[in-house]
């Protein structure tokens, strides 16, 4: 089930998360819709979500480009493990030597630490890193709150 809202901001992504909670046929569908809307709203080149929902483990990514997905999966998995073990959001910045482009890797806990939401996106500087991490934390909180009413 796809939504017609194109998330351009956190507000739009929050609307999509709420809509997903009301319309998703299963927890897997709900988390897929949330991951896709958050990745789009944050202009992520790759995003993953892993969460234990009841007896089910949900593992998703939005990697349409398999080469890019395999390149980022390892570093994001590592960051997600740190995030879950510390119980807090975490991020890292990498600046391309040749390109000068700064990339941010972000991981935040969801569902009370039962999982994580991680993504890769362009990031201008350390202030931007803080803002993006805060934004991702807010969106992950909305996913967590909305997931409470999901049926198994």
């Amino acid at each position: 089930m796809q939504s017609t809202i194109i998330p351009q901001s956190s507000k739009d992504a929050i609307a999509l998360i709420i809509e997903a909670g009301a319309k998703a046929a299963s927890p897997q569908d709900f988390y897929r819709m949330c991951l896709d809307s958050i990745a789009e709203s944050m202009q992520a080149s790759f995003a993953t979500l892993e969460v234990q929902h009841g007896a089910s483990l949900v593992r998703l990514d939005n990697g349409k480009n398999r080469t890019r997905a395999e390149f980022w999966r390892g570093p994001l998995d590592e960051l997600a493990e740190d995030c879950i073990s510390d119980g807090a959001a975490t991020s890292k910045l990498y600046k391309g030597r040749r390109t000068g482009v700064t990339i941010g890797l972000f991981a935040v806990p969801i569902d009370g630490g039962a999982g994580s939401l991680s993504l890769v996106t362009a990031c201008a500087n350390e202030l931007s890193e803080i803002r993006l991490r805060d934004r991702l934390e807010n969106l992950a909180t909305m996913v967590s709150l909305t997931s409470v009413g999901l049926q198994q």
Side-chain angles (χ1 to χ4, degrees):
M1 174 176 294
Q2 287 289 70
S3 178
T4 57
I5 300 172
I6 299 171
Q8 297 298 320
S9 68
S10 291
K11 184 178 176 183
D12 289 343
I14 288 170
L16 264 178
I17 292 165
I18 293 167
E19 182 179 321
K23 292 184 176 181
S26 68
Q28 180 95 7
D29 290 343
F30 167 74
Y31 288 114
R32 164 61 58 205
M33 293 168 73
C34 291
L35 179 65
D36 289 347
S37 64
I38 290 169
E40 187 173 339
S41 78
M42 296 194 64
Q43 299 176 345
S45 57
F46 181 66
T48 66
L49 180 146
E50 182 173 327
V51 65
Q52 185 74 39
H53 185 83
S56 301
L57 177 64
V58 178
R59 293 188 77 172
L60 302 167
D61 71 51
N62 76 329
K64 295 169 184 79
N65 179 325
R66 296 312 324 159
T67 303
R68 181 179 296 151
E70 292 310 313
F71 180 80
W72 290 116
R73 188 174 314 284
L76 276 183
D77 285 350
E78 214 174 280
L79 203 62
E81 286 177 23
D82 292 345
C83 157
I84 291 171
S85 66
D86 295 343
T90 188
S91 57
K92 290 183 180 180
L93 292 183
Y94 295 95
K95 185 168 185 161
R97 285 179 238 171
R98 287 180 276 194
T99 64
V101 174
T102 302
I103 299 294
L105 276 64
F106 300 87
V108 297
I110 58 172
D111 288 358
S116 65
L117 173 61
S118 309
L119 58 80
V120 177
T121 191
C123 190
N125 53 41
E126 289 175 2
L127 180 58
S128 177
E129 175 188 14
I130 293 166
R131 288 181 178 154
L132 288 168
R133 188 175 56 234
D134 288 348
R135 181 176 175 194
L136 185 58
E137 278 187 287
N138 291 335
L139 293 169
T141 297
M142 184 56 68
V143 170
S144 297
L145 293 171
T146 306
S147 73
V148 171
L150 295 176
Q151 299 298 316
Q152 296 297 321

